[in-house]
Amino acid sequence: MKGIRRLLSAAEDWIFPQEVGCMVCGRALPPQDAEGLCMTCAALLEEQALEQAEAERGERRGIAGEFACVRAAYPYDGVARRLILGLKFEGMRRAAVPLARTMACLERGGEELVVPVPTTRRRMRERGYNQAMILAQEVAVRRGLPCADALTREDSRPAQMTLSASGRERNIAGCMRADERVLGKRILLVDDVCTTGATAREALRALSEAGAVSVGVLVAARTPDQAKGLPGFLRFR
């Protein structure tokens, strides 16, 4: 009976297709729409990508001894922010698609392995997924690279978003471990948002200790004050 009901439901959806709403503004979209964005929101998102690209061209300050590169696809604002919040807190997994498309088109280096910033087991139980892993998988497919959840993170720390910049640094210090899959590899570390850079620096420490050759950071967005915590952008060496 369950099989029959599923078939009837699928037939009903085909004969009387339900409207799909834009992930940002809710405007109705055709059922076959795979992007999940109306033309207006898609155009606004593209403008944000151009805005971020221009900002990064003017911010090529070095990060000596740290990351091979730090790149962001968007500013953490407007349509991009709405997509990230939907992906992170509302189960809107398809929001990763437009974000990752732009991320994957940013400057390439000699990266060999895509690694997502890890979440805790508690967060995994609450959300059912790691939004950074979804972004990393999308980026990896578009760049033709393998993707591995080679980093793990302790559970017993407060959420980073509740803390000050200095508190974030202290809170996350020493909480990550990387496994043997990163040994001798050039890593592309993927996350949704970079705020102070504390999470990225902790991931860098863990990856370096496990034998990674270099670590580049790729995020969907950075906050306006992020430059204070993670100064500037550097091309892949």
Side-chain angles (χ1 to χ4, degrees):
M1 289 299 295
K2 288 183 180 179
I4 293 173
R5 282 197 292 269
R6 282 197 296 270
L7 286 173
L8 290 173
S9 177
E12 183 180 358
D13 289 342
W14 182 73
I15 298 170
F16 305 106
Q18 297 180 353
E19 289 186 336
V20 178
C22 172
M23 291 184 287
V24 176
C25 69
R27 185 176 298 161
L29 299 172
Q32 68 273 18
D33 188 281
E35 289 297 310
L37 291 174
C38 68
M39 291 179 63
T40 300
C41 291
L44 289 172
L45 188 64
E46 184 176 353
E47 287 179 12
Q48 285 192 278
L50 294 173
E51 174 190 340
Q52 185 63 27
E54 183 62 30
E56 292 198 14
R57 276 194 290 272
E59 296 178 2
R60 295 286 185 184
R61 298 189 300 276
I63 316 175
E66 289 195 296
F67 302 99
C69 75
V70 180
R71 299 301 304 274
Y74 303 99
Y76 187 55
D77 194 13
V79 174
R81 182 175 183 273
R82 178 68 191 92
L83 289 174
I84 291 168
L85 290 175
L87 172 64
K88 194 166 186 174
F89 298 114
E90 300 171 29
M92 196 185 293
R93 299 191 190 198
R94 62 178 180 154
V97 175
L99 296 171
R101 181 186 300 106
T102 300
M103 293 169 70
C105 290
L106 296 181
E107 185 177 358
R108 294 170 181 253
E111 63 266 19
E112 301 167 285
L113 181 66
V114 180
V115 176
V117 165
T119 190
T120 63
R121 289 189 296 272
R122 178 172 58 85
R123 287 292 186 194
M124 280 293 291
R125 287 193 297 270
E126 291 172 355
R127 294 178 186 162
Y129 61 90
N130 174 9
Q131 72 279 358
M133 171 57 89
I134 294 177
L135 288 169
Q137 289 171 333
E138 291 283 345
V139 168
V141 167
R142 285 167 170 76
R143 289 200 171 187
L145 293 171
C147 179
D149 55 345
L151 281 167
T152 56
R153 183 170 174 173
E154 290 179 10
D155 269 333
S156 59
R157 309 286 178 103
Q160 287 288 92
M161 63 186 299
T162 65
L163 303 172
S164 65
S166 59
R168 287 172 184 240
E169 200 82 41
R170 291 192 300 270
N171 178 60
I172 204 167
C175 80
M176 293 187 194
R177 297 291 180 272
D179 64 33
E180 68 281 355
R181 287 175 288 181
V182 307
L183 179 63
K185 296 287 177 46
R186 293 172 65 89
I187 305 300
L188 185 64
L189 181 71
V190 172
D191 202 0
D192 54 354
V193 181
C194 188
T195 304
T196 65
T199 300
R201 281 190 289 269
E202 170 58 17
L204 171 66
R205 179 202 61 76
L207 290 165
S208 298
E209 288 183 0
V213 172
S214 66
V215 179
V217 180
L218 179 63
V219 295
R222 70 179 180 107
T223 58
D225 61 346
Q226 181 267 329
K228 299 175 184 177
L230 192 63
F233 300 83
L234 183 66
R235 294 183 182 275
F236 273 100
R237 292 191 290 269

